[in-house]
Amino acid sequence: MFEIIDARWLAADVKRFEILAPRIAVKQQPGQFVIVRVHDHGERIPLTIAGSDPTSGTITLVVQGIGKTTRLLNSLEAGQAVLDVVGPLGNPSEIRKFGTVVVIGGGVGTAIAWPTARALHEAGNRVLSILGARTRSLIILEDELRAVSDTLFVTTDDGSYGQQGFVTTKLQELIDTEERLDHVLAIGPIPMMRSVADVTRPHGIPTTVSLNSIMVDGTGMCGGCRVLVGNQARFACVDGPEFDASEVDFDVLAQRNAMYRSAEQDALKRFEQSPARDLDRVEHACQLAARHPEVNP
Amino acid sequence: MTNSLPPKDRVKIPRQEMPTEPPEVRQHDFHEVNLGLTTIQAHAEAARCLECRNPQCVSGCPVGVKIKEFVALVHDGDYLGAAAKIREDNVLPAVTGRVCPQEDQCEGACILGTRFSALGIGYLERFVADYERTSGKIGLPKRAPSTGQRVAIIGSGPAGLSAAGDLVTKGHDVVVFEALHEPGGVLIYGIPEFRLPKEIVRQEIDNLRAMGISFETNVVIGKTYTIDELLGEEGFDAVFIATGAGLPKFLGVPGEHLAGVYSANEFLTRVNLMHANQFPDYDEPVYDCRERVVAVVGAGNTAMDAVRTARRLGASKAMLLYRRSEAEMPARQEEIHHAREEGIEFVTLTAPLEFLGDEKGRLRAARCQRMELGEPDASGRRSPRPIPDSEYEIELDMAIIALGTGANPLVQRATPNLATNERGYIVADAETLETSRPGVFAGGDIVTGGATVILAMGAGRQAAGAIDAYLKSHPPRQDSPAS
Ligand SMILES: Cc1cc2nc3c(=O)[nH]c(=O)nc-3n(C[C@H](O)[C@H](O)[C@H](O)COP(=O)(O)OP(=O)(O)OC[C@H]3O[C@@H](n4cnc5c(N)ncnc54)[C@H](O)[C@@H]3O)c2cc1C
Ligand SMILES: Cc1cc2nc3c(=O)[nH]c(=O)nc-3n(C[C@H](O)[C@H](O)[C@H](O)COP(=O)(O)OP(=O)(O)OC[C@H]3O[C@@H](n4cnc5c(N)ncnc54)[C@H](O)[C@@H]3O)c2cc1C
Ligand code: SF4
Ligand code: SF4
Ligand code: FES
């Protein structure tokens, strides 16, 4: 059981958690993720580790509530606990000195991109970040990302904040005005990553995306997370999650991610109608201490 | 009391038939198919044993269960004694009694089988193990005084469990690390409830806990810890790698990424480990195959398990696509028989060439090719040959690829100087199961490739013996946190 030490909202549906997971906290590298199961009837979902503190033994997760499991998770508070957290899984991001790097975060993708942006910055890269959202209220981690960027640009679809347009509008401007861009990292919704790949491909700018395929075990055992990259099946959990954007078949990714749509909608509806059934299954850290005195209260 | 029947009368007793749940009922639920012998049946079956002076049956069992002795105890009505006798060689009798391919092992070697039918050794093993389980009087072996030495076991399948059981009785501290959230390996995530109720596996694991073994789930070795860390700061004196052969194989044909195409591992994991058959009470979904057509590619145990699971999820038509003929099917006879009773269709001499999808990327059909049998190949089975111009389409809503598995490279990649063979399996000494790294042993499917539960358990036991010997010659570490 993994206690939630802190939980706070970043935006309407996006919550940031500090979870006690000391073994993972000392190991985590940017780009890696954990698989979480909230309670004993729950599914296993992957979430990127947005940061960690080896001293306090906590990892940071930033969760966007889009379906049943993420909404359930986002209804939890400090003092409660999630049943299973396993990791750190996946390959770390490639961190080296590229030169000028553009880091693009769309929606909750910002949380996933942020630790990598920081590492790239620390590795001596010039980091230009583009943070995109539909509207102002959905912007998260702006200050955090700014702190690790040489320049931060914000775009909103509706123009309510920053520059009006898509992240690709800004990216195209940078391509046109900057002397050279050595690398692009784009993490966000599938259509966004696809557009970024389309923008950088003609210029031959090496571009990395982090794929959010559906996972079960996260260890290479099920093959459910397979994606087509360069026309070859690759397992996102062990071969990725980051891949060369120019080779990714985004159609297949989108189609596979839609595979359980009706069951997912059904589950969300049931949860919203009677959340108590699930909340009763969630462990509380004080019950944990009563049953397992070896765990510190 | 001994068996007073003369042998000529013993052979006249018919082999007892396993009572089963009727196929009409069971194809809609996940209850266990075999119901177990009654006490009267068990007594009658035990009476058939000829109590051979040189029992061939024992040499057919990979772990050498003392079959003659335990069967005599069953005949005497001393079921707990019989169970304890089996436990001397086999820590998971309720499991092996159900899933061992007995016809190739103990029963295949039983002398009765040459003229009559072999003794139902598996049925009897299951009978006494279930009796012991429900009696609540499990005779757990005693633990030797603590040696203060610590062994890490990676993976909680049958190999890891049997090694853990033996090592803890020898007085070592044993920690089993498991990547998933529940221990048991294939026994939990692969073999379905209707062949092996999970309650049984959980009870066996609870027994091991009661013996003092600790289980650490949610730990992926190679990620959470490396083997070097286990042997270093984590303070273990030896490591046993029992990670199984969990990497799913795909056909490599076009369209395999379509929604609705699964590996057997994923399909079975969703249902067995994650309870997708109980959606929405459990959250994990599985592709909806109610009133739809499902094909499973392959014909081994895994394929049978997958196709029978699909049937139970409500598939209107559940079939096997197999490129050879029925005679070459590697699954156990009992599974083939049960599958047929449940209305599974066997489409033999057929190989998929491509999966075809609709505009939304969902599977709609498989393009197949008919095959014929040629000369026997290296495995001794007649090898399939494509028949030219024989392609045709089969309409399908779901396909499950059950072509076996390979070695998952996670541990190997994170462990420098660990020798592997050309297929990625770990190389271990035939006698000691020690790997190229001193103090690191390996056994079960990760060494042999996909095999059987009992062979994996045999490897676990063999490794435990070798690890014990290794620890005796390597005194406890000074920095060991346990000392
Ligand atoms: C490597 C990786 C890292 C991720 N990191 C984050 C993160 O840091 N923060 C965050 O908010 N989200 C992250 N995600 C996405 C997150 O896993 C999904 O949003 C979540 O699983 C949705 O579950 P749900 O029950 O709430 O929604 P559902 O209604 O079940 O699903 C909504 C959509 O989420 C996707 N999804 C569903 N189940 C899974 C699953 N088991 N695995 C992966 N995707 C699934 C599907 O596309 C689905 O259509 C990450 C995904 C991956 C693969
Ligand atoms: C569907 C199916 C049906 C079968 N039916 C039968 C049958 O009827 N009879 C029979 O005798 N055999 C059967 N088999 C074969 C049998 O189950 C295997 O041979 C046996 O389970 C192998 O045991 P093992 O201990 O080597 O590995 P496994 O049972 O595979 O266990 C390995 C464990 O290690 C864990 N692991 C892997 N990597 C790591 C890591 N890096 N860190 C931590 N943990 C890790 C895995 O999660 C898993 O729990 C079947 C197999 C399958 C898949
Ligand atoms: S362990 Fe398996 S092979 Fe050995 S006696 Fe029991 S059923 Fe037969
Ligand atoms: S070979 Fe058959 S008859 Fe002989 S002892 Fe073994 S089980 Fe009994
Ligand atoms: S999630 Fe199962 S193989 Fe990647």
Side-chain angles (χ1 to χ4, degrees):
Chain A
M1 247 162 287
F2 297 80
E3 188 183 345
I4 300 171
I5 302 297
D6 189 55
R8 62 187 68 191
W9 292 100
L10 295 182
D13 285 334
V14 183
K15 204 165 181 179
R16 173 182 175 148
F17 294 95
E18 307 296 328
I19 294 179
L20 194 58
R23 287 173 175 170
I24 302 173
V26 297
K27 269 296 173 75
Q28 176 260 343
Q29 289 174 264
Q32 291 190 297
F33 62 94
V34 286
I35 294 241
V36 171
R37 196 173 67 129
V38 178
H39 61 49
D40 68 349
H41 282 50
E43 60 180 341
R44 296 167 62 100
I45 64 159
L47 295 167
T48 305
I49 312 168
S52 61
D53 181 348
T55 329
S56 65
T58 55
I59 57 169
T60 305
L61 303 179
V62 177
V63 183
Q64 178 166 39
I66 56 162
K68 159 148 188 203
T69 304
T70 47
R71 295 254 170 109
L72 167 65
L73 191 52
N74 280 358
S75 68
L76 304 187
E77 298 296 343
Q80 288 178 288
V82 291
L83 189 54
D84 300 301
V85 179
V86 54
L89 300 171
N91 297 311
S93 305
E94 187 187 352
I95 305 295
R96 59 182 170 87
K97 185 151 179 197
F98 294 99
T100 300
V101 182
V102 181
V103 175
I104 306 174
V108 77
T110 309
I112 305 176
W114 168 46
T116 305
R118 185 174 50 199
L120 287 169
H121 189 73
E122 281 166 8
N125 290 285
R126 177 167 167 250
V127 176
L128 309 178
S129 296
I130 310 175
L131 206 168
R134 261 188 298 119
T135 187
R136 176 168 200 160
S137 62
L138 298 178
I139 295 212
I140 56 166
L141 301 175
E142 183 186 348
D143 294 339
E144 285 84 347
L145 194 57
R146 186 185 318 271
V148 298
S149 308
D150 291 82
T151 317
L152 175 86
F153 306 95
V154 178
T155 65
T156 49
D157 299 5
D158 64 359
S160 53
Y161 187 56
Q163 180 176 344
Q164 199 230 318
F166 301 115
V167 292
T168 41
T169 321
K170 187 74 226 176
L171 176 62
Q172 187 63 55
E173 275 178 40
L174 291 178
I175 292 173
D176 296 340
T177 56
E178 287 288 326
E179 203 162 298
R180 58 178 288 156
L181 300 179
D182 298 287
H183 197 86
V184 173
L185 170 71
I187 307 180
I190 295 169
M192 183 208 98
M193 294 192 288
R194 186 208 309 261
S195 318
V196 168
D198 289 343
V199 169
T200 57
R201 195 178 290 115
H203 302 277
I205 305 170
T207 303
T208 304
V209 285
S210 177
L211 300 187
N212 58 334
S213 58
I214 294 182
M215 297 187 176
V216 183
D217 57 301
T219 67
M221 182 271 273
C222 76
C225 62
R226 63 196 186 280
V227 286
L228 281 188
V229 181
N231 242 329
Q232 273 201 311
R234 309 288 300 277
F235 291 0
C237 69
V238 286
D239 300 327
E242 292 181 4
F243 292 97
D244 177 350
S246 66
E247 299 210 305
V248 171
D249 188 327
F250 289 101
D251 288 332
V252 165
L253 177 62
Q255 286 164 350
R256 286 188 63 80
N257 272 14
M259 192 160 158
Y260 302 105
R261 192 60 40 90
S262 71
E264 287 160 359
Q265 283 164 355
D266 184 33
L268 180 58
K269 200 155 75 211
R270 280 165 189 273
F271 172 62
E272 288 184 331
Q273 275 163 5
S274 49
R277 211 185 26 197
D278 280 277
L279 292 171
D280 287 348
R281 286 176 174 150
V282 174
E283 302 280 344
H284 208 276
C286 46
Q287 300 163 349
L288 172 71
R291 242 176 299 145
H292 300 270
E294 74 278 9
V295 183
N296 294 329
Chain B
M1 186 174 71
T2 47
N3 193 345
S4 54
L5 273 185
K8 68 175 184 6
D9 292 332
R10 296 186 195 185
V11 301
K12 285 189 197 138
I13 308 173
R15 179 176 157 116
Q16 299 299 300
E17 281 197 23
M18 174 60 79
T20 56
E21 196 172 88
E24 315 78 75
V25 178
R26 71 177 193 241
Q27 56 178 283
H28 303 296
D29 66 36
F30 281 81
H31 297 157
E32 195 176 8
V33 171
N34 285 344
L35 300 174
L37 299 183
T38 63
T39 312
I40 295 172
Q41 281 184 304
H43 186 81
E45 188 63 33
R48 297 177 63 227
C49 177
L50 299 175
E51 299 174 277
C52 307
R53 190 163 307 147
N54 178 13
Q56 289 306 308
C57 52
V58 178
S59 52
C61 169
V63 294
V65 166
K66 300 178 190 77
I67 296 166
K68 183 171 86 172
E69 285 87 341
F70 103 72
V71 172
L73 288 163
V74 175
H75 186 264
D76 290 351
D78 180 3
Y79 306 134
L80 290 177
K85 184 57 74 187
I86 301 173
R87 278 190 186 277
E88 288 175 13
D89 302 290
N90 170 353
V91 287
L92 304 171
V95 173
T96 51
R98 286 172 166 83
V99 306
C100 266
Q102 287 102 5
E103 63 273 26
D104 301 327
Q105 299 180 346
C106 52
E107 295 182 18
C110 169
I111 197 78
L112 275 171
T114 51
R115 287 186 50 210
F116 308 95
S117 48
L119 190 71
I121 300 168
Y123 292 173
L124 290 172
E125 187 162 305
R126 169 189 164 144
F127 174 83
V128 294
D130 284 356
Y131 180 90
E132 183 197 40
R133 242 170 11 94
T134 46
S135 74
K137 292 186 205 129
I138 293 192
L140 296 179
K142 285 229 170 42
R143 227 184 136 162
S146 172
T147 61
Q149 284 170 297
R150 306 178 72 220
V151 184
I153 296 190
I154 310 173
S156 61
L161 295 179
S162 89
D166 277 7
L167 285 164
V168 83
T169 50
K170 292 180 202 295
H172 307 299
D173 280 325
V174 180
V175 181
V176 180
F177 294 102
E178 170 55 51
L180 294 171
H181 56 258
E182 180 162 5
V186 171
L187 307 181
I188 283 288
Y189 79 72
I191 304 181
E193 178 79 16
F194 57 81
R195 278 214 294 136
L196 178 63
K198 300 305 149 222
E199 199 41 46
I200 292 173
V201 182
R202 293 196 184 106
Q203 248 183 46
E204 295 289 2
I205 286 166
D206 284 343
N207 292 338
L208 293 169
R209 279 205 180 91
M211 285 162 64
I213 295 161
S214 67
F215 287 89
E216 300 248 9
T217 52
N218 295 320
V219 178
V220 183
I221 303 301
K223 290 288 180 185
T224 320
Y225 294 126
T226 61
I227 286 183
D228 288 298
E229 287 164 342
L230 292 176
L231 290 171
E233 54 265 41
E234 295 304 319
F236 288 96
D237 301 277
V239 173
F240 179 49
I241 308 174
T243 48
L247 189 75
K249 285 194 184 136
F250 287 94
L251 286 156
V253 302
E256 225 165 3
H257 56 269
L258 290 165
V261 183
Y262 281 102
S263 75
N265 268 9
E266 180 183 3
F267 177 70
L268 291 169
T269 300
R270 281 182 180 268
V271 177
N272 296 329
L273 178 73
M274 304 305 298
H275 307 273
N277 57 316
Q278 295 174 63
F279 183 89
D281 188 34
Y282 282 79
D283 290 337
E284 191 88 9
V286 65
Y287 206 65
D288 190 353
C289 63
R290 283 173 293 179
E291 300 305 321
R292 303 218 183 149
V293 182
V294 178
V296 174
V297 182
N301 281 326
T302 306
M304 292 295 164
D305 284 344
V307 76
R308 296 173 69 200
T309 298
R311 178 57 146 199
R312 284 161 171 78
L313 290 175
S316 53
K317 192 167 167 176
M319 59 182 139
L320 285 176
L321 299 183
Y322 185 45
R323 60 196 185 114
R324 305 187 201 232
S325 77
E326 217 175 299
E328 288 82 26
M329 289 193 174
R332 295 183 56 195
Q333 277 309 315
E334 184 178 59
E335 307 314 322
I336 296 175
H337 173 68
H338 282 164
R340 200 184 295 284
E341 283 185 339
E342 290 161 14
I344 306 300
E345 288 177 40
F346 292 42
V347 181
T348 54
L349 295 169
T350 295
L353 296 177
E354 179 176 7
F355 292 103
L356 307 167
D358 64 14
E359 69 290 348
K360 288 181 166 166
R362 293 170 166 256
L363 177 68
R364 79 173 167 79
R367 193 163 60 82
C368 296
Q369 179 163 49
R370 290 193 210 281
M371 313 292 277
E372 61 187 359
L373 289 182
E375 297 304 308
D377 65 8
S379 71
R381 297 179 300 175
R382 295 181 60 193
S383 55
R385 275 199 311 241
I387 301 178
D389 302 320
S390 65
E391 294 177 17
Y392 70 110
E393 277 186 23
I394 301 181
E395 296 209 359
L396 286 181
D397 300 289
M398 179 159 123
I400 301 164
I401 315 297
L403 296 172
T405 48
N408 187 325
L410 261 188
V411 169
Q412 294 85 309
R413 273 188 202 157
T415 314
N417 306 322
L418 183 69
T420 55
N421 69 16
E422 66 291 348
R423 291 186 303 146
Y425 291 103
I426 297 175
V427 177
D429 181 272
E431 287 301 312
T432 64
L433 295 182
E434 191 159 344
T435 65
S436 56
R437 292 280 308 264
V440 179
F441 300 75
D445 282 4
I446 189 58
V447 170
T448 57
T452 62
V453 170
I454 192 68
L455 284 171
M457 284 175 56
R461 153 148 284 208
Q462 191 184 345
I467 291 170
D468 184 52
Y470 170 87
L471 292 175
K472 286 204 173 88
S473 60
H474 291 74
R477 299 158 49 122
Q478 295 308 308
D479 58 347
S480 171
S483 54

